[in-house]
Amino acid sequence: MSRMTFNQKIDQITCLVTISAGIPDFKEYIPDGIGNVGAFTVADDADFIAEYVYRLQKFLVEETELGIPALIHCEACSGAQFTEANVFPSAIGQASTFHPEIIKEMADIIRRQMCAVGFRQVLSPVLDVARDPRWGRTTETYGEDPTLISAMGCAFISGIQSDNPKEGTIATAKHFVGHGVTEGGLNMSRNPITERDLLEVHCKPFQAAITECNLGSVMNSYCSIDGEPVVGSKKILTEILRDEMGFAGFVVSDYISIDRMVDPFCVAQNFEDAGIRAIKAGLDVEYPRPKGFTYKLKEAVEDGRLSMEVIDRAVERVLTAKFELGLFENPYPDRKALRSLLHRKDFDELNEQIAKESIILLKNDNSLLPLNKNEIKKIAVVGPHADSVRSYFGTFSYPAVLDMTMSREEDGQIFEEPGLIVYDIRQRYVGEVREMSPRVEKKIRAQFKNTKSVYEALKEYLPDAAVTYAKGINFSGSDIGGMEEAVNRAAEADVIILTLGGKNGWGATSTVGEGVDSTSIDLPGRQEEFARRIRALNKKTVVLHFDGRPLSNEYVASHFDAILEVWQPGEFGGQALCKVLFGEYNPAGRLPVTAARNVGQLPVYYSQSRGSGFVGAGHTGMIRNTNGYINDTAFPLYYFGHGLSYTEFRYGNMQIENREVDALGTIRISVDVTNIGNYDGEEVVQLYYSDEVSSMVRPSMELAGFKRLFIPKGETRTVVFEMNASQTAFLDENKKWVVEEGILDIMIGASSNDIRLKDKVRITGSQWIDPRNRGFYAKAYVRR
């Protein structure tokens, strides 16, 4: 740093994004170097991307004065966002597995593929607590519960960062903090969150990542909290994140969030003032291009508006990360290893396994599932997702990027400036959602040759049956021109596979995604009308629900015997679905969110505070209503943790080793789970707790831990949980973290609404604690 000029220091805390068909002339773009590069490319092969990185780093190392390599980042919540890399199920699907170990394996694959092309930072995972399905980004999250998010997020980060930083990539947890709960469910708007909820709920997954995984980087939220834009809040980015939570890495801005201090927040007169406020608040790097962090900051240093120590602090954090990654020794891609890390059979097998584990059996009345291959002569696959591979991929996946890029081109939109990726949603009328161009589907199929639509996968899986297809209806809009054909095809079949749900992505061709929020959480377009026509046939029908938010349609939930929540299952979704439908794989996915009946119930989540929401319905008051609402019920359609199986499990012999523990003690709980059904299968055993009496209003119940395990039919397994008493800590009336003495109700079950066993534990003596060292989720293992 002592050798660096002012401008060279600024270069290290800014970013470049190139959007071009070829490899640009870096000497023209960045003659003096650059600290960070955003890699967003739709190149046709990974070798081209590796060549891009090689030339970039070679220029920086050999042709700039100090030879400082760049830290190159891309998105990776469901796979590295470049061509030929594996695309796994969306994050909400990953959360539905309730299986952190397999997510760590997935993240390790992502790490290895990214390192091979020279990308060393991922803008993932999303640790937002998602409690409003109107918000289009629920699919990028691990759901509504901070304990589940902590466990899944730590698994992802551990796999991404590796035990050896020189072989790892830096994880960037986002969006700090509170981004998942906004006014109106609108992305980037105000967060109506109390300080208590902010610290106890929304900060918890980030704290777990800092404490347990040595999290390398954090990205700020776009939103404002208590009158402050987060990107310019010293309280949030320094006092809370660093001073209270102990974060030691570097903080990066979400793309163009510094710009938002000028417009729409209007808290800065110009971009220079916005940059000064952001860096003083604790932001270290501006993405995606210099707007606030520019050479003009020198004037601010000279006239006393900004201290040079503040800039040096940010530069030091960036350079430290580069040294720890070993970039100064070797910043280049591993082009020799690249081909051996793409299209690998074992990677594809894990991808399909995660897809199978993510699928949730919401309903199976009359044991309609699994289907019998030998009994089906004709099967009809209908609906907007029946023959679409695009439906398998969520926002921030590489196929979604292809979709966005091609859709922007068809809209005639161009990039306003290098690195400024903006998609203007242009609607001819309010509420218009346009159909995706057939070019997009064709392009994705060409690049993902192993990916098969539901229709194609079933044709291959059932060679002796007649498999027919008709789309019937678009995923959105009012066009029902194909409905009669689909109904007629379905009428001729023994079994109907009905695909429903929205499309996840960016822009005017999606119903859910980043910046694609909605006042409705119901089936989009005229899908319910289509579902009613199919139901009137009185045929065996299985509903597959594809979407970025859970099924929230009472008609479908009550009128069809078999329903699978599919989310976006990734490259091998078709193969996975076939194996689930026909019993080759027994589903055990669980809902990581609560499914509301309608938008009027929001917010609804299982851990609502006592006296609130459905958990408060019918309790003490001058006027009591056990339904909650006068015109409807307050109780959800499906509960957090819900998911069925083709077999049945019995819980018994709950044992608590120590019924009295001090505030720093460990509670050990065991339970026997027996498969008493006719199929081998997996169960997700869930541990919950609640305070009988506490000094502050607490959640009605909280997830403490969980364990997914395989149990052959007729056999028993013992699950053991080790829960630190400090996991029950909360903020007292003086906002100090306390583990409070008293009785805990301990509950074990198959969902938050399916509690099988209960017992009690006493915490002896209250104690204030350091929240950085508290428990975040119970450790769990299987004892035979």
Side-chain angles (χ1 to χ4, degrees):
M1 287 181 63
S2 64
R3 297 164 53 200
M4 299 173 76
T5 66
F6 182 88
N7 286 5
Q8 287 170 336
K9 290 180 178 179
I10 295 300
D11 287 337
Q12 288 302 306
I13 58 175
T14 56
C15 182
L16 163 76
V17 175
T18 59
I19 305 168
S20 61
I23 298 175
D25 181 353
F26 295 113
K27 194 165 188 175
E28 177 186 342
Y29 268 96
I30 44 172
D32 299 316
I34 196 73
N36 306 269
V37 172
F40 296 91
T41 173
V42 290
D44 288 335
D45 64 75
D47 296 298
F48 177 89
I49 299 168
E51 179 66 19
Y52 172 102
V53 173
Y54 175 79
R55 291 196 200 176
L56 167 66
Q57 298 289 36
K58 186 175 176 63
F59 165 75
L60 293 173
V61 170
E62 296 183 3
E63 297 187 45
T64 62
E65 181 182 353
L66 296 177
I68 301 174
L71 182 56
I72 305 174
H73 64 254
C74 78
E75 301 282 351
C77 62
S78 58
Q81 201 179 77
F82 61 82
T83 186
E84 297 193 87
N86 281 94
V87 183
F88 298 92
S90 59
I92 197 73
Q94 296 167 32
S96 299
T97 69
F98 275 63
H99 192 177
E101 294 85 355
I102 201 169
I103 301 309
K104 183 177 179 180
E105 290 184 58
M106 177 200 77
D108 182 69
I109 291 172
I110 297 171
R111 173 190 65 81
R112 294 165 68 185
Q113 292 181 339
M114 287 191 61
C115 286
V117 296
F119 297 175
R120 301 299 299 277
Q121 182 185 6
V122 303
L123 303 188
S124 310
V126 174
L127 299 184
D128 299 329
V129 178
R131 292 183 170 176
D132 190 337
R134 294 175 299 176
W135 183 51
R137 304 189 71 173
T138 298
T139 187
E140 301 170 48
T141 75
Y142 297 128
E144 72 178 41
D145 180 75
T147 298
L148 177 63
I149 299 167
S150 296
M152 304 305 285
C154 283
F156 182 92
I157 293 164
S158 296
I160 282 289
Q161 295 195 158
S162 168
D163 295 331
N164 181 359
K166 294 186 187 303
E167 296 178 356
T169 54
I170 291 176
T172 303
K174 60 186 185 183
H175 308 81
F176 193 78
V177 62
H179 193 65
V181 178
T182 60
E183 284 189 339
L186 287 167
N187 193 45
M188 302 191 291
S189 63
R190 176 177 173 268
N191 300 128
I193 300 172
T194 66
E195 183 178 6
R196 180 178 300 280
D197 279 351
L198 187 78
L199 297 174
E200 290 182 351
V201 176
H202 297 275
C203 283
K204 178 177 174 176
F206 292 91
Q207 184 67 78
I210 293 166
T211 300
E212 299 206 344
C213 306
N214 192 27
L215 175 65
S217 179
V218 162
M219 176 178 279
N220 68 270
S221 163
Y222 278 121
C223 303
S224 66
I225 296 177
D226 196 24
E228 279 193 305
V230 172
V231 69
S233 172
K234 183 178 180 181
K235 177 179 180 180
I236 292 174
L237 297 184
T238 296
E239 293 172 12
I240 293 177
L241 179 61
R242 294 193 182 276
D243 299 343
E244 294 184 27
M245 298 174 66
F247 177 64
F250 61 99
V251 180
V252 302
S253 76
D254 207 339
Y255 275 40
I256 71 168
S257 57
I258 285 181
D259 301 42
R260 287 173 56 80
M261 284 200 280
V262 178
D263 174 41
F265 291 134
C266 301
V267 297
Q269 189 72 36
N270 51 52
F271 296 122
E272 182 183 350
D273 289 346
I276 293 169
R277 178 166 177 171
I279 198 168
K280 290 171 72 172
L283 188 76
D284 298 311
V285 182
E286 180 182 14
Y287 292 163
R289 79 286 190 251
K291 200 77 171 185
F293 289 12
T294 70
Y295 301 147
K296 288 184 178 181
L297 289 180
K298 190 170 186 178
E299 298 173 13
V301 172
E302 290 172 346
D303 64 23
R305 287 177 294 151
L306 178 64
S307 167
M308 192 65 212
E309 285 75 16
V310 172
I311 294 175
D312 284 344
R313 178 186 65 192
V315 176
E316 182 177 348
R317 288 169 180 162
V318 172
L319 293 177
T320 297
K322 291 182 179 182
F323 274 108
E324 290 175 345
L325 286 171
L327 285 180
F328 284 90
E329 291 85 2
N330 180 18
Y332 300 109
D334 189 350
R335 291 187 287 183
K336 289 184 179 179
L338 176 58
R339 281 291 134 201
S340 68
L341 293 169
L342 301 173
H343 313 294
R344 277 178 49 162
K345 182 180 178 182
D346 55 336
F347 291 0
D348 291 347
E349 288 172 347
L350 183 75
N351 199 343
E352 183 182 316
Q353 182 64 26
I354 297 172
K356 290 186 295 188
E357 293 191 16
S358 72
I359 295 168
I360 306 167
L361 182 60
L362 293 178
K363 184 179 180 183
N364 194 25
D365 286 2
N366 303 311
S367 298
L368 177 57
L369 292 174
L371 300 173
N372 189 323
K373 276 186 178 183
N374 300 321
E375 294 178 356
I376 295 175
K377 303 300 181 184
K378 194 169 189 179
I379 186 168
V381 191
V382 298
H385 306 282
D387 194 28
S388 168
V389 298
R390 173 63 183 86
S391 299
Y392 293 160
F393 304 108
T395 317
F396 286 98
S397 68
Y398 179 68
V401 172
L402 289 175
D403 183 356
M404 176 187 70
T405 304
M406 296 174 74
S407 296
R408 288 182 80 261
E409 290 172 355
E410 296 206 346
D411 286 350
Q413 297 188 37
I414 60 173
F415 295 110
E416 299 171 13
E417 58 180 279
L420 185 59
I421 304 171
V422 174
Y423 191 162
D424 290 320
I425 297 179
R426 299 168 182 169
Q427 297 170 301
R428 291 170 296 183
Y429 54 87
V430 174
E432 180 197 25
V433 179
R434 297 196 297 277
E435 279 298 295
M436 177 184 73
S437 166
R439 293 172 55 240
V440 176
E441 180 78 10
K442 184 177 180 180
K443 178 78 169 180
I444 295 172
R445 286 175 180 270
Q447 294 208 11
F448 294 87
K449 298 185 186 303
N450 291 323
T451 302
K452 304 178 190 302
S453 69
V454 178
Y455 169 58
E456 293 168 328
L458 282 168
K459 280 204 303 182
E460 186 174 294
Y461 194 79
L462 300 171
D464 298 325
V467 181
T468 63
Y469 156 73
K471 184 177 181 181
I473 189 172
N474 296 332
F475 66 89
S476 189
S478 58
D479 183 3
I480 57 172
M483 188 180 294
E484 292 304 322
E485 179 193 8
V487 172
N488 291 336
R489 289 276 175 88
E492 297 169 353
D494 304 318
V495 174
I496 305 165
I497 305 297
L498 172 61
T499 67
L500 298 172
K503 174 176 173 281
N504 196 283
W506 288 280
T509 65
S510 296
T511 60
V512 62
E514 183 184 19
V516 186
D517 312 306
S518 178
T519 59
S520 172
I521 58 173
D522 206 339
L523 293 172
R526 299 176 70 173
Q527 290 190 36
E528 183 180 315
E529 180 182 345
F530 182 47
R532 287 175 180 269
R533 291 290 305 278
I534 296 297
R535 177 65 185 86
L537 298 173
N538 290 314
K539 296 272 188 175
K540 287 184 178 180
T541 304
V542 181
V543 174
L544 307 182
H545 183 247
F546 294 80
D547 213 313
R549 51 175 66 97
L551 177 68
S552 291
N553 181 278
E554 291 187 78
Y555 178 83
V556 170
S558 61
H559 285 79
F560 292 91
D561 285 348
I563 305 172
L564 291 169
E565 185 66 76
V566 177
W567 308 113
Q568 298 89 35
E571 282 182 79
F572 296 91
Q575 293 90 325
L577 281 164
C578 287
K579 291 174 182 177
V580 168
L581 287 169
F582 288 89
E584 190 175 334
Y585 183 82
N586 190 347
R590 296 293 189 269
L591 277 174
V593 291
T594 301
R597 293 176 181 274
N598 51 63
V599 75
Q601 288 187 326
L602 302 179
V604 57
Y605 50 95
Y606 87 94
S607 58
Q608 287 182 286
S609 296
R610 288 190 166 113
S612 298
F614 73 92
V615 302
H619 284 264
T620 303
M622 289 294 293
I623 299 174
R624 292 189 293 240
N625 182 351
T626 55
N627 289 323
Y629 296 106
I630 195 64
N631 67 318
D632 203 348
T633 177
F635 292 84
L637 189 60
Y638 297 109
Y639 290 81
F640 174 87
H642 170 71
L644 304 176
S645 170
Y646 297 152
T647 192
E648 185 179 352
F649 297 95
R650 182 178 63 215
Y651 288 57
N653 192 30
M654 179 178 177
Q655 301 286 330
I656 298 180
E657 182 179 304
N658 37 356
R659 294 182 178 276
E660 291 192 354
V661 296
D662 62 34
L664 300 180
T666 300
I667 305 166
R668 290 183 178 84
I669 306 153
S670 64
V671 60
D672 291 345
V673 183
T674 303
N675 184 341
I676 60 173
N678 297 320
Y679 297 88
D680 297 341
E682 294 168 289
E683 177 70 332
V684 178
V685 182
Q686 301 166 44
L687 174 68
Y688 296 88
Y689 74 91
S690 64
D691 284 298
E692 277 200 353
V693 177
S694 53
S695 60
M696 309 300 294
V697 178
R698 302 295 300 144
S700 57
M701 65 190 307
E702 297 182 65
L703 181 70
F706 52 90
K707 184 63 179 177
R708 182 174 184 137
L709 71 158
F710 174 77
I711 308 176
K713 60 181 178 181
E715 296 191 19
T716 298
R717 298 289 185 269
T718 300
V719 179
V720 180
F721 293 100
E722 295 182 351
M723 172 186 170
N724 293 332
S726 63
Q727 191 174 329
T728 68
F730 59 88
L731 294 169
D732 67 10
E733 60 183 352
N734 297 312
K735 301 292 175 62
K736 293 181 67 175
W737 285 91
V738 64
V739 178
E740 199 168 73
E741 65 178 342
I743 303 292
L744 292 179
D745 290 320
I746 304 295
M747 298 160 278
I748 291 180
S751 83
S752 61
N753 193 51
D754 184 9
I755 299 301
R756 309 289 182 86
L757 301 168
K758 296 181 180 181
D759 210 327
K760 297 181 186 295
V761 167
R762 176 183 294 276
I763 296 179
T764 59
S766 299
Q767 184 168 331
W768 288 298
I769 64 161
D770 181 348
R772 292 176 289 187
N773 300 322
R774 72 189 191 272
F776 300 104
Y777 47 87
K779 310 305 181 199
Y781 58 91
V782 178
R783 185 179 67 206
R784 291 195 177 223

